[in-house]
Amino acid sequence: MAQRPIVRILREPDARARIKGQKARFPKGISSADQARRHNSKFERIESSIGRVLAGADLKNSPAEVAPDRALVFEVIGPLSTVTKFIQAARETGFDWLGEDFDLTQHEDEDDEGNIAAADDGEGVDADQSVLYVTMPSINGLQKIVALWKRFTRREPKPSGPDGEWWDLFKYLSDVRPWSAKDRVDPALDRYVERMVRQQPDKPIRLELDLWYRSDPKLRANAQTYVEALLKVIDGKLLDFATIEPIHYQAALVEIPIAQAEMLSSVAGPIAEADGVMRVRPQSFYETTTMDGDVTLSSDEIAGAVARHKPAVAALLDGYPVENHVHLSGRLDVQEVDVAAASVPVARRRHGTSMASLIVHGDLGLPGGAIDRPLKVVPILAAPQNMTVECTPPGVLPIKMVYRAVTALMEGIDGKSAQGEGVVIINHSICDREAPYARKPTYWAKLLDYLSHEYRLLFVVSAGNCYEPFAVDTYADVAAFQNADPIERQVAILRCVENAKGKRVILSPAESMNSLTVGAVHDDQAGACPPGLAEPYDKVSGVPNLSSSVGLGINRAIKPDLVEAGGRQLVRVNLKNGAMSAWAFEHQDVGQLTAIPDPAGLRDDRTGRSTGTSNAAALVTRAAIRMAGVAEDLFEEINQSWVDSQTRAVVLKALVAHGCHWGQTGELLHGLYPGHWQKKREAVSRAIGYGRADYDRIVTAEGNRITLLADDLIGRDESHQYKLPIPRAMIANREIRRITMTLAWSSPIDPITNRYRGVMVELVDAKGKRKFWDGLEGITDANGSKIPTGPVATATRRGTLQHLALQGKKLIRAAGTGEIIVGVQARVDLAAFADEKVPYALAVTLEMAQPVRQDLNADVAARVRLKRIEVPARPRTRVRT
């Protein structure tokens, strides 16, 4: 029997380490006398407003006034510790805490010695950075804050308890004001309204109203009535309404007259001044793109139905598929929740059919065998009669549909039992074209993060596609571009795309922290570029295709996490007013080959080509299903069920990402992008994340490498240690050695704070620092420059996936204890999750560049097995070899 390529390892029992850190230094704040001169007039207006309310005045039409049910904003300059403590103080004073806005990434939590900075009082923001707080005060709360301000400006001693926290906030107060129309109206709304009026000049405009999520259930229950009354004033219409409590989401989809929408564009009108509305923004919407043309495969290339001896582990949230297509018949299990078959004509079921085909078979142009499990499908795209493409139903909030779809799978809905027993992977190749990520997580991303942690799910999410033109500054005219040397043109396009990255960012919910976000690589099995057209890139460089959106994610976390083949896209250019622009487009002769519906509805064997990040996400979902089989086998060896494990999703996440590497693509982009090495690496990670995965490296055994896998639950200030035997073949030679470590975990979230992530987990060495084996100092190229292997280490700790590739060839004559210590260390980012234990999985591969006489797999596996006898297992620890 062949040696198993993955070996389970055991952590050291009861290994714990308190996390040490240094406190950041901040100014002591502004004196009470100076603050009085700056802000007394603002508090006098608040006091005047209180008096007018108590006297019976209605301040609803006075936006500058402060009144109950009107959000109050505190702008603060100072340490983040002040903010953290103030939240609780505000609540105890009678303020309904609604949200905050600041940038955590100005402070990097690592000193020059690789120590880990404290997560509580030690973290903060620069002294010149504004922090925004939003609360909803009661009359008593407003009266109390005025009284506290007067005591502060009289230089009274700081009181004990929650009232004292106001003293710290007052020291750093920059402004206090009501939430205004300028805060309420999304800056992108004017362009959206202009586009909608141009496309449909006779139709009302659809918008979404995000409401303040109130802690009082009675206030939440009255929110829909409030929206209906508001719409009645402007002759609007309520289309949909949703409340999702775990992510503090309450929103309405509305339809309003064009005149009212144009007033909103000017930050005016009844909705702009509606105190109960937090944000007015474009309707969340997704629609597919299509290509004409198709090709039919011969019958001997069509695979038969799946043998259902293995249960489904994956679900697809997408369009309604053609269930009886020859490539899909007997392989799909469709569960209707909000979209019924009767509402989606078979001839228009393109996207869901294509995604299902890619998950089941991969690119049909590259035979790789079908998955041996059924695929569950919950349709969430419709095909309205007045549109030519599939889209999220125009009259429904998409986030509500996703929530109901996942709930139907996990718990059951509308009186039905759970339909997704055993499902761990959910493919989510749907995004909001109106919501490019802009620093703050969207509600859609918050929903996926909540659901993934709550139900132990792995969402595979597409990064989104951008077909907007970008500037090309290299060529004088179209002919020069078309006739340019392909390599020179490729370099020019890559540079221009990088310059335009600010307008090509990932689309909601791609910033989701717990999900795997996938970008698309310019690669497929189609033939050559059609004559007369231009292909932007070659197939061997592995660069993202021309429409693949770029990161970063929440608090500058690595996004996309990885990239996969997404089909080749061609490029068009245009010269207008002396400026040349270019954009991606799809052509029927290139792209990935998938099952598609027959436009005439007569045949069941049509295939066609498509491209994009949806395709790439489908292929990663297919790989995750493959890794599920590996995980099942490892757990079954000791009679445990992987699908019932609390670590099931993070085990898959680690295995899928573990084969990622930058390789020649990283070197190419790193050499092309401008700036110092850190900026270069950030630019590369924006484009390709941790790189493209080689899944065969994980599931196939080779004598020159071995992969070790561990999983467990970890809590606050715990450090789990793993002892990895150093392969004897790595000692006393100068061959390139490589250690790849992948740590995946799932974190709870706080949906109203910018810290957002509840628990941080990271890789450390035996001393709790971020330094590993000195034999892995890196490899240099012919010019003496270090070859980049991945993102900057600091950036890898910002999300919930850390992937490090360490390599070197320094001569190691002695190996000390003969072991490498790898630690997994946790800390709490938010006090609310102090008692939370989160699941994690760790994959480590030890590798030599060339095959060696001694089999690394056999050498290390045997010594790991011996370690099982020497170290007693903790109750939660599993060992699989």
Side-chain angles (χ1 to χ4, degrees):
M1 181 179 295
Q3 177 68 47
R4 179 179 294 283
I6 302 180
V7 176
R8 294 289 289 129
I9 55 176
L10 172 69
R11 70 176 171 84
E12 289 290 272
D14 299 318
R16 297 171 181 265
R18 296 297 299 181
I19 299 174
K20 300 178 181 179
Q22 302 175 354
K23 289 195 174 185
R25 297 178 180 178
F26 296 97
K28 294 182 179 180
I30 304 171
S31 70
S32 58
D34 287 341
Q35 289 291 66
R37 284 192 294 270
R38 297 174 67 198
H39 303 303
N40 261 348
S41 61
K42 299 170 186 174
F43 283 91
E44 287 171 359
R45 284 198 297 270
I46 294 175
E47 188 171 26
S48 174
S49 298
I50 295 171
R52 293 181 63 195
V53 170
L54 293 176
D58 185 355
L59 304 183
K60 290 182 179 180
N61 295 320
S62 305
E65 301 280 3
V66 177
D69 295 331
R70 179 166 289 158
L72 189 64
V73 175
F74 294 88
E75 291 186 6
V76 184
I77 299 175
L80 190 57
S81 56
T82 296
V83 178
T84 306
K85 295 176 181 177
F86 173 66
I87 295 175
Q88 186 60 33
R91 285 171 172 161
E92 295 192 18
T93 305
F95 284 71
D96 199 355
W97 189 256
L98 303 174
E100 60 195 45
D101 186 11
F102 54 88
D103 188 359
L104 283 173
T105 59
Q106 297 296 320
H107 173 79
E108 296 295 355
D109 54 349
E110 180 178 10
D111 61 27
D112 293 336
E113 299 299 320
N115 296 310
I116 302 170
D120 45 19
D121 289 353
E123 286 199 12
V125 296
D126 294 341
D128 60 349
Q129 184 181 347
S130 180
V131 181
L132 186 70
Y133 296 91
V134 183
T135 65
M136 192 79 80
S138 63
I139 280 289
N140 290 337
L142 286 171
Q143 290 174 324
K144 185 168 185 177
I145 189 179
V146 171
L148 290 171
W149 173 258
K150 290 179 177 179
R151 292 172 60 187
F152 170 76
T153 56
R154 289 197 299 264
R155 302 183 184 181
E156 292 187 14
K158 174 181 176 180
S160 59
D163 286 354
E165 305 301 343
W166 287 89
W167 259 239
D168 291 332
L169 180 125
F170 290 154
K171 290 179 184 178
Y172 297 100
L173 188 65
S174 173
D175 194 12
V176 56
R177 59 180 175 80
W179 185 262
S180 68
K182 185 176 179 180
D183 300 307
R184 188 169 290 114
V185 180
D186 191 302
L189 197 68
D190 58 344
R191 295 188 300 274
Y192 169 78
V193 170
E194 180 183 357
R195 189 174 78 245
M196 292 296 103
V197 172
R198 186 172 63 250
Q199 293 175 354
Q200 301 175 343
D202 300 323
K203 292 187 177 182
I205 306 297
R206 289 178 176 176
L207 305 170
E208 286 187 26
L209 308 181
D210 290 334
L211 307 178
W212 296 111
Y213 183 88
R214 306 300 301 273
S215 59
D216 187 338
K218 293 181 180 179
L219 294 176
R220 292 202 302 272
N222 293 333
Q224 183 169 341
T225 302
Y226 171 85
V227 172
E228 290 170 343
L230 177 63
L231 292 173
K232 187 175 181 180
V233 172
I234 61 172
D235 196 25
K237 181 180 179 182
L238 178 64
L239 301 178
D240 197 15
F241 192 91
T243 302
I244 304 176
E245 294 185 11
I247 60 170
H248 289 215
Y249 173 79
Q250 194 164 44
L253 176 62
V254 304
E255 200 171 62
I256 65 174
I258 289 178
Q260 289 291 332
E262 290 175 335
M263 288 179 67
L264 273 173
S265 296
S266 302
V267 196
I271 295 181
E273 302 295 349
D275 292 328
V277 176
M278 177 180 68
R279 187 82 65 183
V280 187
R281 57 187 177 87
Q283 177 187 10
S284 299
F285 195 70
Y286 171 82
E287 65 180 4
T288 63
T289 57
T290 61
M291 284 191 293
D292 296 329
D294 62 83
V295 61
T296 302
L297 295 183
S298 59
S299 59
D300 60 353
E301 295 175 288
I302 297 173
V306 64
R308 291 181 174 245
H309 63 281
K310 287 189 175 182
V313 294
L316 172 66
L317 304 187
D318 210 279
Y320 214 113
V322 179
E323 294 179 81
N324 65 343
H325 195 287
V326 293
H327 288 288
L328 301 176
S329 179
R331 296 182 175 276
L332 307 181
D333 181 5
V334 178
Q335 301 293 331
E336 294 184 354
V337 177
D338 289 317
V339 176
S343 65
V344 189
V346 174
R348 297 170 64 187
R349 299 180 183 181
R350 174 103 187 203
H351 200 264
T353 301
S354 184
M355 293 305 103
S357 176
L358 283 167
I359 294 172
V360 171
H361 297 285
D363 187 340
L364 292 173
L366 180 66
I371 59 172
D372 58 355
R373 303 172 183 269
L375 174 68
K376 289 190 177 290
V377 182
V378 182
I380 59 171
L381 296 183
Q385 294 295 327
N386 60 337
M387 299 184 69
T388 59
V389 295
E390 294 169 279
C391 62
T392 48
V396 181
L397 291 163
I399 186 173
K400 175 181 175 181
M401 295 184 66
V402 173
Y403 183 52
R404 283 174 53 81
V406 177
T407 303
L409 289 170
M410 296 294 104
E411 293 187 5
I413 202 168
D414 298 335
K416 297 180 181 178
S417 59
Q419 303 298 305
E421 184 178 358
V423 166
V424 182
I425 311 154
I426 296 184
N427 181 274
H428 191 294
S429 293
I430 306 299
C431 59
D432 182 359
R433 72 175 188 185
E434 303 295 344
Y437 174 65
R439 201 178 79 175
K440 294 189 69 174
T442 59
Y443 282 113
W444 201 331
K446 292 176 184 180
L447 176 66
L448 298 193
D449 283 333
Y450 162 72
L451 293 172
S452 62
H453 188 72
E454 176 70 14
Y455 295 116
R456 302 300 193 249
L457 297 171
L458 176 62
F459 284 92
V460 181
V461 181
S462 57
N465 304 307
C466 178
Y467 292 98
E468 293 298 312
F470 57 92
V472 177
D473 57 8
T474 312
Y475 301 97
D477 52 39
V478 173
F481 179 90
Q482 296 283 7
N483 298 325
D485 176 79
I487 299 300
E488 292 179 358
R489 185 172 59 201
Q490 171 168 310
V491 171
I493 294 174
L494 286 169
R495 181 178 56 81
C496 292
V497 168
E498 164 62 13
N499 291 340
K501 63 180 179 290
K503 296 182 179 180
R504 302 174 64 84
V505 297
I506 56 177
L507 300 178
S508 172
E511 75 271 25
S512 169
M513 180 185 62
N514 286 330
S515 301
L516 271 180
T517 302
V518 186
V521 170
H522 184 80
D523 184 24
D524 59 39
Q525 299 302 310
C529 176
L533 299 175
E535 186 168 1
Y537 310 130
D538 60 55
K539 289 181 59 175
V540 299
S541 296
V543 297
N545 69 21
L546 204 52
S547 73
S548 187
S549 297
V550 299
L552 300 166
I554 299 169
N555 292 325
R556 300 180 67 81
I558 301 296
K559 289 291 174 180
D561 296 283
L562 70 163
V563 289
E564 185 51 88
R568 290 149 57 211
Q569 295 173 338
L570 306 185
V571 59
R572 285 192 174 125
V573 291
N574 181 49
L575 185 65
K576 185 177 182 180
N577 298 327
M580 181 176 288
S581 60
W583 63 94
F585 79 100
E586 295 183 312
H587 190 278
Q588 65 187 42
D589 291 340
V590 294
Q592 292 159 317
L593 194 62
T594 71
I596 63 171
D598 177 22
L602 301 176
R603 299 174 59 170
D604 61 4
D605 61 350
R606 293 280 190 181
T607 58
R609 299 193 182 278
S610 61
T611 69
T613 57
S614 292
N615 292 26
L619 291 181
V620 171
T621 299
R622 173 177 166 83
I625 295 171
R626 184 183 183 189
M627 294 302 169
V630 174
E632 283 179 335
D633 290 344
L634 290 171
F635 276 67
E636 285 175 2
E637 286 181 0
I638 57 169
N639 299 318
Q640 291 189 353
S641 169
W642 162 76
V643 79
D644 294 326
S645 169
Q646 293 192 64
T647 64
R648 61 184 196 167
V650 293
V651 164
L652 280 190
K653 188 175 180 179
L655 289 176
V656 169
H658 191 55
C660 287
H661 59 98
W662 274 11
Q664 67 172 10
T665 306
E667 292 183 47
L668 169 67
L669 297 178
H670 191 270
L672 176 67
Y673 293 151
H676 60 76
W677 67 272
Q678 287 183 314
K679 289 294 184 183
K680 285 174 173 282
R681 289 201 187 183
E682 180 178 281
V684 177
S685 62
R686 284 177 182 272
I688 63 172
Y690 290 114
R692 188 173 178 180
D694 181 353
Y695 305 111
D696 288 337
R697 289 170 54 83
I698 308 303
V699 299
T700 59
E702 296 288 345
N704 65 322
R705 69 172 180 267
I706 181 172
T707 297
L708 309 171
L709 179 67
D711 63 291
D712 208 338
L713 302 180
I714 192 167
R716 178 183 57 177
D717 295 346
E718 289 184 7
S719 178
H720 297 177
Q721 291 189 346
Y722 296 89
K723 291 184 177 181
L724 315 180
I726 299 176
R728 297 177 180 89
M730 284 188 171
I731 302 174
N733 68 61
R734 294 187 184 275
E735 291 289 344
I736 295 176
R737 295 171 292 274
R738 182 180 293 110
I739 296 180
T740 303
M741 297 182 289
T742 305
L743 175 66
W745 74 98
S746 174
S747 174
I749 64 166
D750 187 333
I752 62 170
T753 72
N754 266 37
R755 288 202 176 203
Y756 191 67
R757 182 183 64 181
V759 179
M760 175 189 180
V761 185
E762 69 171 320
L763 292 165
V764 295
D765 62 14
K767 297 180 180 180
K769 295 187 177 182
R770 299 164 182 142
K771 295 183 178 180
F772 293 91
W773 190 21
D774 63 2
L776 304 172
E777 80 290 358
I779 304 297
T780 57
D781 60 21
N783 298 320
S785 300
K786 186 171 290 187
I787 297 174
T789 59
V792 178
T794 300
T796 68
R797 297 189 294 275
R798 295 175 184 153
T800 59
L801 178 67
Q802 187 175 15
H803 180 72
L804 301 175
L806 310 174
Q807 63 182 19
K809 55 181 180 180
K810 179 180 177 182
L811 183 65
I812 299 177
R813 299 188 183 279
T817 62
E819 296 171 322
I820 303 170
I821 305 298
V822 177
V824 176
Q825 188 160 264
R827 77 180 191 204
V828 173
D829 279 346
L830 291 167
F833 305 106
D835 298 325
E836 183 99 11
K837 282 187 174 289
V838 301
Y840 74 86
L842 169 67
V844 181
T845 293
L846 309 176
E847 182 178 8
M848 298 288 289
Q850 301 293 333
V852 291
R853 291 182 181 179
Q854 187 179 27
D855 190 316
L856 267 65
N857 199 306
D859 177 24
V860 174
R863 292 154 71 191
V864 169
R865 292 189 181 97
L866 290 175
K867 184 62 63 180
R868 284 190 354 191
I869 301 173
E870 296 170 4
V871 181
R874 295 182 67 183
R876 291 184 181 273
T877 302
R878 294 178 293 275
V879 180
R880 303 177 191 90
T881 58

